[in-house]
């Protein structure tokens, strides 16, 4: 099912519901908005109707709806999200009151329910509100915690609606999670590494980190615990993902090994520098002193080390090739004892490094291969993780 019901209550943060709708639409999800009567004092229902392309629901007895709309709609949705949720709607849902469309609908819904509260900090922390939240949690309702920041009452404190991005990412995890990823730790590396010569000069590469970030985001949506170990890139970290920032290949190596024992899957999408300077200086080297023959040495191959030490972890590597894609990628897979290798042609300008799109081949040790044709890095990551999910399921079946 590709529909979300979005309940909107009367909070000043109601305007953020517009961004929430847009973010769902980008994920190809339709949104049906349900407003409380009081919310219509802030924004007219027509606003959400125009944005969502579907008639906004406010009243239980509205001739424009199907005769028993709250039951019909409950069967069509994969999630009920209430954002923003006020203290009043939370109290109503906790006590099972059904005196308007939203509260009645809540009782009819069988899909997951997610609530994003927004209110003054004192109201949020009030023992009655907290007791209501606990009661709903005990009934399986999930919450996106409000954040600290500037509140409409002029105070600064907790109680502000979480960001639309965080609310949507948490929603997607509730819709897309798959049992095979539950309680599994997936380690993803992303971006370039930087090998310094001195405090101001370094050796690096053109990796943007986009592919690794997308893989981390998608792994979180599928229900995994995710650690993203990233080199120097400035992208917005994905919601719910633990981020470790490193600079050099040696730092990346140490960070990966910190999690290796607990990991079920390691995806090395980082473009780890293959070389570093044999000698480095803690002070800036003056140009007169700089010899033109700087000596380089190989960095440790993290993936190869992981391959030799693996005990049940599923290892995924990347290969950036300019020719003989299949032969070279397959050689790397064998040498590094990988379970899957993702290979792309870096001589092409339209995909890969720094681009939003990619086209990759997947190769498996048993000779199987698959092309993921040119598409967004988001879609490519979804496909890669679907394959990883299938491999995890297969392993479970074999044990
Ligand atoms: N990798 C690693 N440690 C390194 C170098 C690379 O873990 N020191 C990982 C990368 O994260 C990637 C894969 O190994 O998953 C890439 O293998 P590599 O042998 O570096 O191949 P290419 O980058 O494709 O380059 P080349 O063909 O020049 O070796």
């Amino acid at each position: 099912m590709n529909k979300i019901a979005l309940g909107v209550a009367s909070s000043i943060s109601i305007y953020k519901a517009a961004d929430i709708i847009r973010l769902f639409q980008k994920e190809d999800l339709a949104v049906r908005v349900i407003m409380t009567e009081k919310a219509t004092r802030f924004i007219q229902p027509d606003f959400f109707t125009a944005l969502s392309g579907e008639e906004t629901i406010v009243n239980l007895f509205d001739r424009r709806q199907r005769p028993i709309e709250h039951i019909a709609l409950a069967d069509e949705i994969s999630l009920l999200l209430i954002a923003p949720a006020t203290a009043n709607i939370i109290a109503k849902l906790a006590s099972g009151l059904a005196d308007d469309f939203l509260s009645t609908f809540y009782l009819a819904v069988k899909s997951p329910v997610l609530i994003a509260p927004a209110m003054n900090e004192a109201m949020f922390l009030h023992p009655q509100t907290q007791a209501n939240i606990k009661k709903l949690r005990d009934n399986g309702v999930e919450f996106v915690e409000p954040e600290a920041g500037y509140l409409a009452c002029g105070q600064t404190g907790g109680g502000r609606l979480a960001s639309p991005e965080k609310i949507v990412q948490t929603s997607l995890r509730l819709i897309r999670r798959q049992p095979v990823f539950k309680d599994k730790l997936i380690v993803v590396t992303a971006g370039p590494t930087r090998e310094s010569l001195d405090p101001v000069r370094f050796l690096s590469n053109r990796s943007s980190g986009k592919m690794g970030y997308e893989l981390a985001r998608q792994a979180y949506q599928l229900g995994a615990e995710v650690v993203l170990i990233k080199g120097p890139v400035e992208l917005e970290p994905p919601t719910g993902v633990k981020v470790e920032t490193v600079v050099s290949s040696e730092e990346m190596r140490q960070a990966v090994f910190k999690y290796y024992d607990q990991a079920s899957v390691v995806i090395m999408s980082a473009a780890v520098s293959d070389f570093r300077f044999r000698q480095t200086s803690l002070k800036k080297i003056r140009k007169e002193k700089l010899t033109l023959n700087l000596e380089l040495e190989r960095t440790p191959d993290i993936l190869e080390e992981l391959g030799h030490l693996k005990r049940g972890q599923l290892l995924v590597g990347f290969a950036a090739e300019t020719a003989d894609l299949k032969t070279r990628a397959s050689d790397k897979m064998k040498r590094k004892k990988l379970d899957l290798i993702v290979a792309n042609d870096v001589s092409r300008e339209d995909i890969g490094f720094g681009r939003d799109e990619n086209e990759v081949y997947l190769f498996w040790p048993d000779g199987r291969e698959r092309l993921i044709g040119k598409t967004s890095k988001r879609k490519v990551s979804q496909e890669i993780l679907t394959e990883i999910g299938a491999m995890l399921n297969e392993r479970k079946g074999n044990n």
Side-chain angles (χ1 to χ4, degrees):
M1 275 179 289
N2 286 326
K3 189 176 275 192
I4 310 279
L6 173 62
V8 179
S10 59
S11 152
I12 282 292
S13 61
I14 189 169
Y15 67 95
K16 292 188 187 166
D19 285 338
I20 293 175
I21 295 171
R22 286 266 186 255
L23 289 171
F24 278 132
Q25 287 169 337
K26 273 196 193 160
E27 298 285 336
D28 297 326
L29 288 160
V31 182
R32 184 80 194 261
V33 178
I34 303 163
M35 297 178 81
T36 62
E37 183 81 45
K38 274 187 274 172
T40 64
R41 300 280 288 264
F42 287 132
I43 288 184
Q44 296 280 328
D46 287 350
F47 173 76
F48 288 120
T49 302
L51 260 182
S52 68
E54 299 203 34
E55 193 69 47
T56 301
I57 308 174
V58 183
N59 299 311
L60 258 177
F61 305 102
D62 183 336
R63 290 256 165 81
R64 286 167 304 178
Q65 316 297 347
R66 288 168 288 187
I68 314 180
E69 181 66 45
H70 59 285
I71 305 293
L73 185 61
D75 282 336
E76 292 171 0
I77 57 160
S78 43
L79 176 80
L80 166 61
L81 165 67
I82 306 182
T86 54
N88 184 54
I89 189 74
I90 290 172
K92 267 168 54 166
L93 301 187
S95 58
L97 262 179
D99 66 348
D100 65 358
F101 191 95
L102 185 54
S103 52
T104 309
F105 181 61
Y106 164 73
L107 292 177
V109 162
K110 285 163 276 177
S111 53
V113 178
L114 179 65
I115 295 183
M119 65 197 78
N120 165 274
E121 187 178 25
M123 292 171 73
F124 181 68
L125 294 176
H126 194 286
Q128 189 59 62
T129 306
Q130 288 300 315
N132 293 337
I133 290 176
K134 181 171 183 310
K135 207 163 165 193
L136 288 168
R137 275 194 207 275
D138 290 346
N139 287 340
V141 174
E142 309 247 1
F143 282 80
V144 189
E145 289 291 318
E147 292 169 356
Y150 180 77
L151 299 168
C153 52
Q155 296 172 6
T156 305
R160 198 166 80 148
L161 185 70
S163 73
E165 171 70 17
K166 186 167 179 192
I167 293 171
V168 170
Q169 288 301 321
T170 312
S171 304
L172 293 175
R173 183 168 160 104
L174 290 181
I175 299 168
R176 295 183 178 158
R177 63 187 162 185
Q178 288 178 10
V180 72
F181 288 101
K182 189 170 184 286
D183 298 328
K184 296 253 168 33
L185 175 67
I186 299 193
V187 176
V188 182
T189 65
T193 62
R194 223 178 243 183
E195 314 298 327
S196 3
L197 173 65
D198 66 18
V200 293
R201 303 179 179 100
F202 57 80
L203 184 66
S204 193
N205 59 62
R206 291 202 292 138
S207 166
S208 65
K210 284 181 187 164
M211 197 62 218
Y213 271 62
E214 277 307 329
L215 284 161
R217 192 191 314 275
Q218 303 301 328
Y220 173 75
Q221 287 180 11
L222 288 168
E225 303 304 314
V226 185
V227 176
L228 173 65
I229 299 170
K230 63 155 195 88
V233 282
E234 297 306 325
L235 300 171
E236 188 68 31
T239 299
V241 166
K242 181 170 179 190
V243 179
E244 294 255 3
T245 303
V246 297
V247 178
S248 65
S249 55
E250 182 51 35
E251 281 176 28
M252 183 166 280
R253 176 176 169 272
Q254 285 178 19
V256 173
F257 273 101
K258 195 165 101 187
Y259 295 100
Y260 195 39
D261 280 347
Q262 305 107 273
S264 297
V265 181
V266 179
I267 309 177
M268 282 292 300
S269 64
V272 185
S273 176
D274 290 314
F275 305 100
R276 63 185 171 201
F277 295 103
R278 192 178 290 280
Q279 273 178 336
T280 58
S281 164
L282 291 174
K283 285 201 198 117
K284 187 183 170 203
I285 306 171
R286 295 182 45 209
K287 54 181 166 298
E288 308 81 76
K289 295 248 169 84
L290 202 65
T291 80
L292 290 176
N293 292 321
L294 285 168
E295 253 188 278
L296 297 176
E297 63 180 15
R298 292 289 300 270
T299 54
D301 193 315
I302 306 170
L303 201 45
E304 196 164 341
E305 247 182 280
L306 295 175
H308 285 97
L309 295 171
K310 94 172 154 181
R311 277 181 303 173
Q313 294 93 336
L314 209 145
L315 276 190
V316 182
F318 275 68
E321 307 294 351
T322 48
D324 295 334
L325 196 78
K326 185 173 178 177
T327 322
R328 286 175 188 239
S330 303
D331 283 352
K332 273 175 203 164
M333 177 165 56
K334 263 190 219 112
R335 183 160 43 85
K336 304 189 189 199
K337 296 192 166 45
L338 308 181
D339 301 283
L340 170 66
I341 194 154
V342 182
N344 60 347
D345 179 351
V346 286
S347 65
R348 277 175 61 176
E349 283 286 318
D350 59 329
I351 53 167
F353 274 140
R355 301 278 174 187
D356 289 328
E357 293 196 310
N358 214 351
E359 175 175 297
V360 299
Y361 276 93
L362 308 186
F363 299 110
W364 283 266
D366 62 5
R368 203 155 59 87
E369 62 178 73
R370 179 183 163 196
L371 167 71
I372 302 175
K374 187 175 159 184
T375 181
S376 67
K377 287 188 173 171
R378 180 159 294 188
K379 292 251 164 64
V380 172
S381 332
Q382 277 167 356
E383 293 299 325
I384 294 172
L385 279 152
T386 304
E387 296 290 357
I388 291 174
M391 290 161 78
L392 289 171
N393 264 325
E394 207 172 292
R395 287 193 170 185
K396 214 170 62 187
N398 290 341
N399 284 336

